[in-house]
Amino acid sequence: MKHRIVVLGAGYAGAYAAGTLARRLSPEDTEITVVNAEPDFVQRLRLHQLAAGQEIDAPPLTDVFAGTGIRLRLARVTAVDPERRIVAVADADGGGELGYDTLVYALGSHGDDRGVPGVAEHAFDVAARPSALRLRERLDSLEKRGEGVNVLVVGDGLTGIETATEIAESRPRLSVALVARGELGAQLSVGARGHLRQVCDRLGVTVLEHTSVEAVEATRVLCADGTALAADATVWTAGFAVSSIAAAGGLEVTENGRIVVDRTMRSVSHPDVYAVGDSGYVIGDNGRPLPMSCASAGYTGRQAVDAIIGRLTGGKIANTKLEYPGNHISLGRQDGILQLVDDQGRAKRKHMGGRKAARVKAGIVRMSLWATSHPTFGLPKRKHHLAAAPKTAAAEKAVA
């Protein structure tokens, strides 16, 4: 019987892991299935652009995995049972169950309402393609009303900054405001913060610092200090959360539901499960948790692939680097910030700003799409056969 590898999610981490495993493992010994709710690859790095009214590429997953032998199951994951090695899915035909021998959990993250009343009912977000398109439709309708329309972006993290500046540049007839809990760009260097303020001023983005939102209503946002901010569209970008599926299935998770893994991305409670991307709680080489990001998806995906192949074929497991080099922030299409960080995650003094930084960010986005659309490019053509008895967790402990 072939070894069954099931990959949950086809985002940056999942698509890369599935394609690389298919290229490096012999189809005589393994079968790989990818489960994803969307039929296309979603460029999450560019969803704020989609919401602002721009067109972005979304290659069909059938094209992404063409020639790899991967089986694609378009379905939504509803449950994971790691004791029985079963994944439950729902689709147009009613769904069913998939059995696995190795599971790669790459379901990513979604917007976090942080328990604030009204967010789920009234706010928009750019955490997924459907929600970004819903915001786009709302902005289209608001533009037809003319001047005096208010768009309020809540959250001054990277997503909030990119969303506010993108909307302001693409839709200048709308009045855009950005709500920050603390100082705008607090995670950036002094020079980068200054550049960010200049761009916000140039684009007409009103910045409201040291403002905490306590409730969202249909046409306004209520703040902790008692003020009410008018909002014809409230965009919530105040953080991300993961699905409760892993916790409900009995996997060991953190308080916020991310799967706890070892250095090779393997679940510390269920060794047949690997978590990559935003789904996993990963300690980087600097001893700090890796942030949810596209860069982290790449590093964790590579490490999981190396570990899975090493264990299944009886080979050595290489340690890939687990680091977070910095932030690449787009400020519309013509401006940006490149901010490197030190090994403690603190912003370095120097930064790059302006059009050159925008071109660097655009290049990173194009490279990410190309690499995902060609998951097997540049990999060894030799496909590895599985060892007669792949290493188990118990066997590894005995050797150690």
Side-chain angles (χ1 to χ4, degrees):
M1 180 180 294
K2 293 184 179 181
H3 188 93
R4 301 164 300 173
I5 300 176
V6 174
V7 180
L8 304 183
Y12 293 105
Y16 170 84
T20 307
L21 288 169
R23 180 63 179 267
R24 295 177 61 184
L25 291 174
S26 171
E28 297 178 9
D29 302 333
T30 58
E31 62 179 32
I32 300 173
T33 302
V34 174
V35 182
N36 199 65
E38 294 280 338
D40 305 321
F41 174 72
V42 176
Q43 292 192 74
R44 191 168 180 180
L45 284 173
R46 299 183 64 191
L47 288 180
H48 60 289
Q49 293 178 242
L50 181 67
Q54 301 162 31
E55 298 301 326
I56 63 174
D57 293 331
L61 291 175
T62 52
D63 292 344
V64 171
F65 297 132
T68 63
I70 291 173
R71 302 178 180 182
L72 178 62
R73 179 72 180 270
L74 296 179
R76 179 173 55 87
V77 178
T78 59
V80 172
D81 185 344
E83 303 300 333
R84 297 171 54 219
R85 295 181 183 174
I86 292 293
V87 175
V89 299
D91 56 22
D93 298 323
E97 293 184 337
L98 295 173
Y100 68 84
D101 299 300
T102 296
L103 181 69
V104 181
Y105 192 106
L107 290 180
S109 60
H110 55 80
D112 185 3
D113 62 16
R114 297 186 179 275
V116 175
V119 172
E121 296 82 5
H122 304 299
F124 298 84
D125 68 70
V126 292
R129 183 179 174 84
S131 58
L133 289 173
R134 189 169 70 91
L135 172 58
R136 177 174 177 157
E137 292 177 0
R138 176 62 173 168
L139 297 178
D140 286 342
S141 66
L142 291 177
E143 272 195 317
K144 296 177 182 179
R145 288 167 47 180
E147 305 292 337
V149 177
N150 298 306
V151 177
L152 193 65
V153 180
V154 180
D156 63 329
L158 304 187
T159 302
I161 291 171
E162 292 192 325
T163 301
T165 53
E166 198 75 49
I167 294 174
E169 182 183 81
S170 298
R171 301 175 184 265
R173 298 181 67 188
L174 304 179
S175 297
V176 180
L178 177 61
V179 176
R181 287 181 61 91
E183 180 185 2
L184 177 66
Q187 72 273 46
L188 302 174
S189 63
V190 174
R193 289 199 298 272
H195 183 78
L196 174 57
R197 287 185 177 279
Q198 291 176 3
V199 173
C200 287
D201 290 342
R202 174 172 59 80
L203 296 176
V205 177
T206 300
V207 178
L208 304 172
E209 295 179 300
H210 307 290
T211 302
S212 179
V213 172
E214 288 198 337
V216 176
E217 298 181 352
T219 59
R220 64 178 187 170
V221 163
L222 305 181
C223 302
D225 62 2
T227 60
L229 305 174
D232 297 289
T234 299
V235 187
W236 192 263
T237 65
F240 296 96
V242 299
S243 167
S244 61
I245 289 175
L251 289 156
E252 183 173 335
V253 299
T254 60
E255 290 184 0
N256 61 2
R258 300 174 74 186
I259 299 173
V260 181
V261 297
D262 63 15
R263 181 58 175 74
T264 66
M265 305 303 114
R266 187 163 67 169
S267 164
V268 298
S269 62
H270 294 81
D272 300 312
V273 177
Y274 293 78
V276 297
D278 291 354
S279 301
Y281 179 74
V282 181
I283 302 300
D285 294 336
N286 62 356
R288 300 166 59 90
L290 288 181
M292 295 182 180
S293 68
C294 178
S296 298
Y299 293 136
T300 57
R302 283 194 291 273
Q303 180 61 84
V305 166
D306 286 343
I308 291 170
I309 293 174
R311 291 189 173 106
L312 293 183
T313 63
K316 294 182 179 180
I317 300 174
N319 279 349
T320 62
K321 62 181 180 180
L322 298 175
E323 61 180 6
Y324 189 75
N327 299 313
H328 308 86
I329 310 167
S330 64
L331 305 174
R333 297 298 84 214
Q334 303 300 319
D335 212 322
I337 294 174
L338 171 58
Q339 177 70 74
L340 299 179
V341 300
D342 61 21
D343 58 3
Q344 294 303 307
R346 297 169 301 201
K348 293 184 177 180
R349 184 175 59 86
K350 292 184 178 180
H351 77 284
M352 178 192 296
R355 293 198 174 192
K356 186 174 182 180
R359 289 195 293 269
V360 171
K361 175 62 182 287
I364 291 172
V365 170
R366 287 194 298 269
M367 180 180 67
S368 297
L369 174 62
W370 193 93
T372 303
S373 302
H374 302 79
T376 63
F377 179 80
L379 295 177
K381 294 183 178 180
R382 178 172 176 266
K383 293 180 181 286
H384 299 279
H385 287 279
L386 270 59
K391 292 181 182 179
T392 64
E396 290 181 1
K397 289 182 179 179
V399 172

